[in-house]
Amino acid sequence: MKTKHWMAMSLACMLFVPGGVHTVTAQNGDGYFTVSGIVKDARSKKEVEYVNVSAVGTNIGTVTNEDGVFQLKLSNATVAKEIELSCIGYYNARIAITGRDMKEQTYLIIPESFHLSEIEIFSWKNPRDLIRAALDKLPDNYPVQPNMLTGFYRETIQKRRKYINISEAVIQVYKSPYTTNASSDRVRILKGRKLVSPKVSDTLHVKLLGGPNMAAYVDIVKNPDILLDAEMLQYFSYRMGETTSINGQLQFVVHFEPQAALPYPLYSGTFYIDRETLSFTRAEFSMDMKDKLKVIDLILKEKPAGLRFTPEEVSYIVTYKQRDGKTALNYICNKIRFKCDWKRRLFATSYTVVSETVITDSRAENVEKIPAREAFSMRQSLSQEVSAYFDDDFWGAYNIIEPTESLENAVNRLMKQQSKSK
């Protein structure tokens, strides 16, 4: 049995403390046009989050934020004539593009309904056998050559409901073949910025698991130790869920829960497996909080003496999409909620850390491994490696996850606080 927990050795740490200013940039001078807007449910008219937005015929894309808002920047030389909107449980929608700006429009997507009596569903007697079959198909479904991914990473820290740290970066991810493990995968920061509360009372010296290296190590298919390793399957119970659709393809839905006690915490959650190809297309999972000492031992790397740390949630969403005929990493979201208090104090303070990575482009030609000296390491903190948060046109032609309205308000508030503190 493997006793090494994949996240414990793999993820970079986040340091909740204002760091030095250091600029890391890359220029993208190509002319581009922008398609932006808000995606809503055609029936309820509610905003839809985490919708994949892709330029058809390219590897360029992004996702909608929690407000359903997106912005996609495309080169003037793009061959794409349409963008496609896809989301779990909805029919895909395509929108023609003109090569000119199409901004602040509303796009409706239609919920997909299933009539199971009319659909031929292959029945797996044992969902564990389904997972084993999907694992056997990994060499067919995922890239067997190295890829260079471009992505956007955002990390926010809230103290109660107030944002105290916002760090963002455009990243490159060297992704080695899926027939090998994740130890060779590396992340490089191309351009980044941060905004940190200037208040001394908002500074908390705590190191946790997280950071831009999520794109290398929270790829559960590439790095399967805790959820998809063949030896680990026996430690979970599985049951089939109701059929759904992702990107127009029917999905097997498999729910899983721990059924064993190990030296580290296990996870409960849901896998989505493409019915036709048996590729893993989505996973949602949360760390078991029954033994909080195990959770603390895993996620807490450093804290001041006398500070009491109480974890409340560690959860993930990992999604994949089709690129060049293969299933490839698309989006990762990690949420960590915890409370901290000092001994002899009556009340604890709640904190929430949310980290998101979306892959916005990829290529398989002329891929060279990121040199170790340029790779983001486990010892680094993003907010210590990037510049301050001032230029309105900072991202240029790079695609990002659009900030939510609440995040934009927080940025304005923090910038005013920084200006007053100077």
Side-chain angles (χ1 to χ4, degrees), residues 8-189:
M9 65 171 183
S10 301
L11 297 181
C13 291
M14 295 182 292
L15 180 61
F16 298 5
V17 53
V21 174
H22 176 63
T23 304
V24 187
T25 63
Q27 298 301 319
N28 186 334
D30 295 340
Y32 64 92
F33 63 97
T34 301
V35 181
S36 67
I38 184 168
V39 180
K40 294 186 177 182
D41 184 298
R43 294 175 185 169
S44 69
K45 301 302 187 291
K46 292 183 178 180
E47 297 81 6
V48 185
E49 62 183 3
Y50 307 137
V51 177
N52 290 320
V53 183
S54 306
V56 178
T58 76
N59 291 327
I60 300 170
T62 185
V63 296
T64 62
N65 64 19
E66 291 181 352
D67 297 334
V69 173
F70 76 92
Q71 178 173 260
L72 186 66
K73 300 171 185 175
L74 298 168
S75 166
N76 288 335
T78 184
V79 297
K81 301 301 180 183
E82 296 176 306
I83 62 169
E84 184 171 63
L85 309 177
S86 62
C87 184
I88 183 171
Y90 288 86
Y91 289 106
N92 288 6
R94 288 197 175 189
I95 296 98
I97 55 178
T98 62
R100 297 185 296 272
D101 287 346
M102 298 168 57
K103 294 185 176 180
E104 298 181 2
Q105 300 191 27
T106 298
Y107 302 97
L108 303 179
I109 55 176
I110 301 172
E112 189 164 8
S113 58
F114 300 98
H115 302 287
L116 297 183
S117 60
E118 301 174 9
I119 299 175
E120 181 184 355
I121 299 296
F122 185 84
S123 177
W124 290 85
K125 294 181 179 179
N126 187 337
R128 187 178 283 106
D129 291 339
L130 171 60
I131 293 174
R132 290 194 178 102
L135 292 174
D136 290 340
K137 295 279 287 184
L138 293 186
D140 298 326
N141 288 329
Y142 298 85
V144 294
Q145 74 282 341
N147 277 255
M148 186 66 75
L149 313 180
T150 302
F152 176 74
Y153 173 82
R154 176 182 288 132
E155 172 183 297
T156 63
I157 302 171
Q158 288 180 273
K159 179 182 179 182
R160 300 185 181 93
R161 295 185 178 182
K162 180 180 68 175
Y163 287 94
I164 61 173
N165 188 315
I166 303 166
S167 302
E168 304 173 322
V170 173
I171 62 175
Q172 277 190 325
V173 185
Y174 171 79
K175 185 70 68 172
S176 58
Y178 274 71
T179 49
T180 63
N181 62 40
S183 60
S184 297
D185 293 4
R186 288 177 178 169
V187 174
R188 169 168 54 199
I189 306 298

Side-chain angles (χ1 to χ4, degrees), residues 309-410:
F309 177 92
T310 305
E312 297 194 319
E313 177 186 355
V314 181
S315 61
Y316 295 87
I317 298 173
V318 183
T319 73
Y320 299 82
K321 67 184 295 186
Q322 287 290 308
R323 290 195 184 95
D324 300 324
K326 296 290 185 178
T327 303
L329 184 67
N330 179 56
Y331 174 76
I332 298 171
C333 181
N334 170 219
K335 178 187 287 187
I336 302 177
R337 292 190 303 110
F338 60 94
K339 289 184 177 181
C340 285
D341 69 317
W342 295 93
K343 292 179 180 178
R344 299 176 183 171
R345 289 190 181 178
L346 185 59
F347 299 107
T349 303
S350 60
Y351 294 86
T352 303
V353 182
V354 176
S355 304
E356 292 183 280
T357 301
V358 62
I359 303 305
T360 57
D361 204 353
S362 68
R363 59 180 170 86
E365 302 80 23
N366 304 315
V367 174
E368 296 183 0
K369 188 174 181 178
I370 295 173
R373 66 180 180 278
E374 298 178 15
F376 193 88
S377 78
M378 294 171 60
R379 298 182 301 275
Q380 291 176 284
S381 164
L382 180 61
S383 66
Q384 291 181 311
E385 299 297 322
V386 295
S387 58
Y389 205 109
F390 295 109
D391 184 1
D392 289 338
D393 194 33
F394 184 82
W395 298 118
Y398 286 116
N399 281 301
I400 68 169
I401 303 173
E402 282 296 286
T404 61
E405 183 177 356
S406 62
L407 187 58
E408 286 186 324
N409 292 337

